[in-house]
Every structure is written in structure tokens, then in C-alpha cells.
Amino acid sequence: MAAVLTVLTLGMTGFAHAQQVLRVSAIPDEAPTELQRKFKPLGNYLEQKLGMKVEFTPVTDYAASVEGLINNKLDMVWFGGFTFVQANVRSGGKVVPLVQREEDEKFKSVFITTDKSITKLSDLKGKNFSFGSESSTSGHLMPRSFLLDAKINPDVDMKRVAFSGAHDATVAAVAGGKVDAGALNISVWEKLVAAGKVNPQQVRVFYTTPGYYDYNWSVRSDMNPVVRKKLTDAFLALDAKNPQDKEILDLQRATRFIPTKPENYKAIEAAARNADLLK
């Protein structure tokens, strides 16, 4: 699923007296209208399961999603792996990942280009290149990590490095000739190809990364335990055999949701520290 940050605002005084609004948002790795569209059926489902109002609250950038959760303005967030690590470090370990899509156990990024001379990572030397958002796991951190593993330092070996701000914007930049190549989340790439919004004969994938853990739904550790269990159970109960559930899962680009844990993101934290991206 393209990253969707969702936040719930709940009082800490017990479920019966908790604020009856679940505020939800997503890391802005796609257009706000697309994030709203994808969340609506899930929001309706969570309202039924939780017995409280669920509101989707867009955020302007990745940093706002982290700060919103830490500062109690948001209570549940759809983070990318890197934004989860940032939130967990910034909060002193007080952010907990609840669930992830099964696909997020082995998520991947793709490198794309229209340039016929680019067929491998080393061909990017001297080229103009675009990542997504600076805080994106699949649009920046992990692609940068794999470039460094291939002995390519984007800041030294490339002619120019840009940040598009979102996965679909990276595709547009490559397709429009603004940059020679770019990297993005494989899920968004496949969605754009399936929707006919990009021609894979013109814009092609020339490298797909190995798998890594990525997106998850996270909450603060002080969330009311009753609400936390209801939330977890609601996600785990989604079943693709049920037509209504299938609509939700399809919009989230998920086969199903599974439990996750902080340890799954240690490799991303190590990659962030190695690339000097974790402040």
C-alpha cells in the first residue's frame, strides 16, 4: 500500500471516557485525494469495529506524521519503515507497530528510466536522478542504501539528485524527461502500470531491489489497551473472501494484514544510520 498514515486521538483515562474520535492520516507518498479515496472504506470499517468516529487527517509532509503521533495530535499512523524508525527513535521507544500488510515483509523498490543507455545501477553515474520524499523508505532510504552497496554515492557520483516528494511524482519526473532515472515503491509502480497511467514500454524498470520490511500501522505505547486490541483485531479480521473486506484490502494493496514488531525494522534503522539519515 502506498504509505498511509493514520492517526487516532484517544484519551488516556480509560475506554469509556476516551475521546470518541479516531483521527487517521497517511504519510503523503501519494496525492492527498488518492490517500483519502483509499482510506474511506477502511475508515468506515474501523468505525463499526471500534464504535467511534474515525477521521482521516491529511499531513503536509513525512515529518508532520512523525511529530503528530509523538505530540498526541495523532494516535495511529500508517508509516513507512523509515518514518516508523524516526518516530520510534524520537519518542524514546514509545511508538509501537501494530500490523503490516503481508506484502510488507518483503517489500521492494524499483529503479526506472527512459534512457536506453541505463541498464544497471552503475550506469547512473553522471546522470540526473530523483528519489521520492527524503523520509521515504522505499523512495529514498533503501534505494540509497542499495546504491551505496553498489559503490555509488548519489551525492558524489551523480550529476544532480532531486526529491520529487512522492512516488507518483517520481514517475512523472522520469516520464517527462526532467531526470534520467528515479526510484520508487514497487507497489505504486505496479498500480500506475495497471491503471494505464504509465507506459512500461516508455518508462521501464531496470533494477528491482532485494526485499525488506516496510510499511506498518503504528500507535503510541500509551494508547488505551482496549482500543489497541480492538484495532489490531479489526485489521487481522479482514478477509479477502468477504467482498466488503476485499474492497478494503484491494485499496490498501494488501492480501491481508499480519502482526508486526519493532525488531522487524532494525535493518532499516541500521541502513538509515549507515547513510547518516537518522537525526
Side-chain angles (χ1 to χ4, degrees):
M1 134 179 137
V4 175
L5 164 67
T6 297
V7 182
L8 315 172
T9 299
L10 304 167
M12 294 297 114
T13 55
F15 185 66
H17 301 96
Q19 180 177 339
Q20 295 300 299
V21 176
L22 183 65
R23 292 180 303 191
V24 179
S25 181
I27 52 172
D29 62 347
E30 291 186 273
T33 51
E34 176 64 5
L35 296 179
Q36 294 266 16
R37 182 186 74 84
K38 284 170 28 176
F39 182 73
K40 194 170 188 314
L42 176 57
N44 293 339
Y45 169 78
L46 291 176
E47 282 189 345
Q48 294 169 6
K49 294 292 185 180
L50 296 173
M52 66 171 66
K53 186 174 176 58
V54 175
E55 292 180 349
F56 186 86
T57 307
V59 291
T60 54
D61 55 32
Y62 282 56
S65 71
V66 172
E67 293 305 316
L69 186 62
I70 292 172
N71 294 326
N72 300 339
K73 293 178 181 176
L74 308 170
D75 298 292
M76 185 176 83
V77 179
W78 176 249
F79 277 143
F82 184 30
T83 32
F84 161 73
V85 167
Q86 289 176 312
N88 197 39
V89 170
R90 286 266 292 105
S91 67
K94 294 178 181 176
V95 169
V96 180
L98 289 186
V99 295
Q100 63 185 56
R101 298 169 304 185
E102 189 170 44
E103 288 77 358
D104 292 313
E105 285 187 300
K106 292 183 179 176
F107 205 77
K108 297 177 181 178
S109 298
V110 291
F111 284 69
I112 59 172
T113 187
T114 58
D115 187 335
K116 291 183 172 57
S117 72
I118 298 176
T119 60
K120 54 189 182 298
L121 292 182
S122 58
D123 294 333
L124 293 172
K125 291 184 177 181
K127 302 292 187 180
N128 295 321
F129 187 85
S130 180
F131 292 111
S133 164
E134 289 190 65
S135 291
S136 172
T137 310
S138 51
H140 179 212
L141 172 62
M142 296 313 286
R144 179 180 284 271
S145 179
F146 290 117
L147 283 167
L148 292 172
D149 287 347
K151 308 300 183 204
I152 300 167
N153 183 335
D155 302 325
V156 174
D157 298 324
M158 292 180 182
K159 184 177 180 182
R160 180 174 64 89
V161 173
F163 291 92
S164 72
H167 301 295
D168 45 6
T170 298
V171 175
V174 174
K178 292 181 179 178
V179 292
D180 300 309
L184 72 148
N185 159 336
I186 193 172
S187 180
V188 173
W189 168 255
E190 291 174 345
K191 183 189 78 167
L192 293 173
V193 170
K197 293 184 177 180
V198 60
N199 180 355
Q201 302 305 314
Q202 179 204 9
V203 184
R204 61 186 171 81
V205 173
F206 68 93
Y207 180 76
T208 302
T209 71
Y212 53 86
Y213 280 98
D214 202 353
Y215 299 94
N216 66 60
W217 287 102
S218 288
V219 300
R220 291 188 309 280
S221 60
D222 62 358
M223 173 181 273
N224 184 299
V226 175
V227 179
R228 182 164 152 182
K229 184 174 190 312
K230 281 177 176 280
L231 266 177
T232 303
D233 291 348
F235 279 108
L236 299 182
L238 286 166
D239 185 348
K241 296 187 184 72
N242 178 312
Q244 283 187 314
D245 289 2
K246 188 176 188 308
E247 179 192 9
I248 294 169
L249 291 167
D250 286 350
L251 284 169
Q252 302 300 312
R253 297 198 290 281
T255 13
R256 65 184 179 122
F257 283 94
I258 59 176
T260 190
K261 56 189 178 183
E263 291 73 27
N264 289 344
Y265 301 92
K266 288 298 182 185
I268 287 178
E269 181 176 345
R273 293 192 186 281
N274 184 51
D276 198 29
L277 293 175
L278 196 57
K279 307 302 180 188

